[in-house]
Amino acid sequence: MKRSAVIRTTTVLVSVVLVVLVLSGCSAGSSTEAGSDSRAAMPAPGQVAGDAQLGVDGAASPDLTQQQVVTTGSLTVTADDPISTATDATRIVTEAGGRVDSRDETPGTSDQAAQATLTVRLPADDFDDVLAQLQALGTVNSLSVSAVDVTAQAADLDARVTALQASVDRLLGLMAASTTTADLLAAETSLSQRQAELDGLVAQRDALADQVDFSSVFVSFVAPGSVAPGVPTDFWGGVVAGWNALVAAASGLVVVVGVLVPWLLPLAVVAAVVVLLVRSGRRRAARRSPTPATSAGPDATMDR
């Protein structure tokens, strides 16, 4: 009877020890898995490229079917009154929903012709219509338009912004669930870096979208005769060009003579005064010098 009681007591103790060991192992395993999940959820500071790739693959991809084009142009127009014409151009652009980024005016003087330059932003949807109205303000001397497809660049910026925004949201969630100071500081450091990168990408995306929505055109209004004629392509064109060059050279020579005339008159007066003084000095010197007969004296008479 005593041996049976001892055996039962030993069996109970062993069972209790085994249960305690099993429970301890499960608790350790659960805490280890929780720590691993927490570390896996915490993105590394240099993991932007990985997040961006996940954003492209897992998040909603941007629409690549809509083509996005940046259009720029340059226009030179001859007008009788460039400054007044620039005012008309400003009105045309603003009424179309565009804007004027810069405007420079040079009033006409005796030395230079009047000129006005504008840097305008035209709505992309009405680009051709507004450009035609600007050309109708005078005689078109030159026009150039170029377009660059930025669809891939815009899609890349959208994908990176989406990925970084998801990363920022995850970091905010981790900060809210952080239980230790170390975890909180790590999350704040990563969040600051992610937020700075996100703000930079958003600014790039907005600037690119503005270039797509509003085309930039540099417009120059000049007075008649300000633009040089083109290179002659035939014999008579060469004759005309040579005659124009001769007339221009003669006109330039006349201008030079006109500039020198006010200086020549005082110089002529000064030169005349100098000549008179020199001649007068020579005459006085000649009167003061003795004659050859006088200088010989009595000896010359005796010799004779």
Side-chain angles (χ1 to χ4, degrees), residues 67-89:
Q67 186 180 22
Q68 301 192 44
V69 178
V70 175
T71 304
T72 57
S74 176
L75 174 65
T76 303
V77 177
T78 296
D80 294 333
D81 188 351
I83 296 179
S84 176
T85 306
T87 302
D88 296 337

Side-chain angles (χ1 to χ4, degrees), residues 25 30 47 52 110-112 141 147 156 169 181 189 211 263 293 304:
S30 299
Q47 199 179 351
S110 58
D111 298 331
Q112 63 181 2
N141 300 315
D156 178 68
D169 295 339
T181 304
T189 301
Q211 294 177 11
W263 295 88
R304 291 198 188 107

